[in-house]
Amino acid sequence: MGQLKSPGEIEMMREAGRVVARALSAVEAEAAVGSTLEQLDEVAAAVIERAGAKSAFLGYHPKWAPTPFAGVICASVNNGIVHGVPVGRQLRDGDLVSIDCGAYLDGWCGDAAISFLVGQEDSGDVDLIAATEAALLRGIEAAQPGGNMGDIGHAIAGPARAAGYGLLENHGGHGIGRAMHEAPHVPNEGRVGRGMKLRAGLVIAIEPMLIRGGDDRYVHAPDGWELRSASGARAAHCEHTVAITPDGPQILTAL
C-alpha cells in the first residue's frame, strides 16, 4: 500500500519538491548546443546545495546496478530513456534531453523529470515531448482518492498508444516519502477500476516514458545504468511527485 502521509508531512515533501523543480529549471536554462552533461550536473548540484538539501541520486546503488550512480541528475539523450549517467557527452544541435532529479530536504524526498530539445527542433520530437507531458497530466488527474491504481495507467497509456507511441516496458512510477522508492509500484498502463485503491495521504511519483515508433523494448548501455530504446528511436520522460488529498491530486514538484 505504501505509508500514508499527514498534511504536515505532505507540506514538508512540497519543500523538497520545490528544490527539485528549481534544479530542473536551472538545468534546462543552462542547456545549449555545446553544453556538457557534466556542466548540467554541476548546475543541479549547486541548486541543491544552496537549498541545504541532499541529492537523492548521487551514490545511489540499487542491487541491479554495477556501480553507485555518479551524478546528481540522470541525463538521457535521444534514444536514452532513463538513468543516463551525466558524463562524457557534449550536447549537439537537435538533441532531445531528458533530465531526472531527486533531492532530500529535512528527511523527505522529491523526484521529478523533464524533457526538452536543444537547438533546432524536429517536429516529431516536439510532438513526442508534448505527448509525454500530456500523459503525465492525465495520470495526475486520474490520481483521485477512491479511485484505483489502474485508473492512472489507463489514463497514461490509452491516448499514448492510440497516437503510436511505445511505453518503456517493465518500468513505471513509485511511492515516495522518506525514501526515494517506496511502495507501491505505479504502472504506466492499466485498466479502469482495477488495482490498489487510492487513498488520501498516498504520495507517488508518476512518470510516463514514451518512445517514438511504438516499440516498448529497451537495452542497457555498456555502463549498466542507462536504458536505451531497443529500436534506436528517441524517447521522452516526464515525472512529478504527486500527493493524493481529499481535494484531489496535488503536484509537489512545481515551482
Side-chain angles (χ1 to χ4, degrees):
M1 171 63 202
Q3 183 179 2
L4 301 181
K5 279 72 175 178
S6 70
E9 290 171 334
I10 289 172
E11 286 306 308
M12 294 178 73
M13 292 191 68
R14 191 189 303 275
E15 292 306 311
R18 286 183 176 130
V19 174
V20 172
R22 290 199 297 271
L24 289 172
S25 178
V27 167
E28 184 173 9
E30 179 72 15
V33 176
S35 299
T36 66
L37 299 187
E38 290 92 340
Q39 288 171 331
L40 301 186
D41 195 64
E42 290 168 1
V43 167
V47 172
I48 291 170
E49 183 178 4
R50 285 197 301 270
K54 178 182 177 182
S55 170
F57 293 1
L58 184 63
Y60 179 60
H61 195 182
K63 293 180 180 179
W64 55 263
T67 59
F69 192 76
V72 167
I73 59 172
C74 292
S76 304
V77 182
N78 297 334
N79 69 321
I81 308 170
V82 287
H83 304 160
V85 181
V87 296
R89 185 168 189 144
Q90 190 173 45
L91 295 181
R92 299 175 180 177
D93 190 31
D95 276 346
L96 193 165
V97 184
S98 296
I99 303 293
D100 194 352
C101 185
Y104 287 101
L105 183 66
D106 297 327
W108 295 97
C109 191
D111 186 10
I114 58 173
S115 290
F116 54 86
L117 294 166
V118 173
Q120 186 173 354
E121 297 184 346
D122 174 82
S123 61
D125 290 340
V126 171
D127 291 344
L128 169 66
I129 293 172
T132 309
E133 292 172 343
L136 173 58
L137 293 178
R138 291 193 305 271
I140 293 170
E141 180 59 30
Q144 299 288 341
N148 295 80
M149 190 65 76
D151 302 350
I152 297 174
H154 178 80
I156 289 171
R161 291 286 192 200
Y165 295 108
L167 290 101
L168 178 63
E169 64 180 355
N170 302 325
H171 287 76
H174 51 88
I176 185 171
R178 290 285 188 183
M180 178 168 57
H181 294 130
E182 298 182 352
H185 173 67
V186 182
N188 284 331
E189 202 153 15
R191 296 172 61 186
V192 173
R194 302 294 293 271
M196 187 190 81
K197 277 288 183 183
L198 303 177
R199 296 173 59 189
L202 182 66
V203 182
I204 54 178
I206 301 175
E207 49 180 321
M209 293 157 277
L210 271 57
I211 306 169
R212 290 181 67 172
D215 191 339
D216 299 354
R217 297 172 301 150
Y218 65 91
V219 295
H220 286 273
D223 63 16
W225 269 103
E226 186 176 47
L227 304 184
R228 298 173 178 171
S229 64
S231 65
R234 291 188 170 197
H237 174 206
C238 296
E239 176 183 14
H240 271 308
T241 296
V242 178
I244 299 173
T245 79
D247 297 322
Q250 294 185 8
I251 297 173
L252 305 184
T253 41
L255 290 173

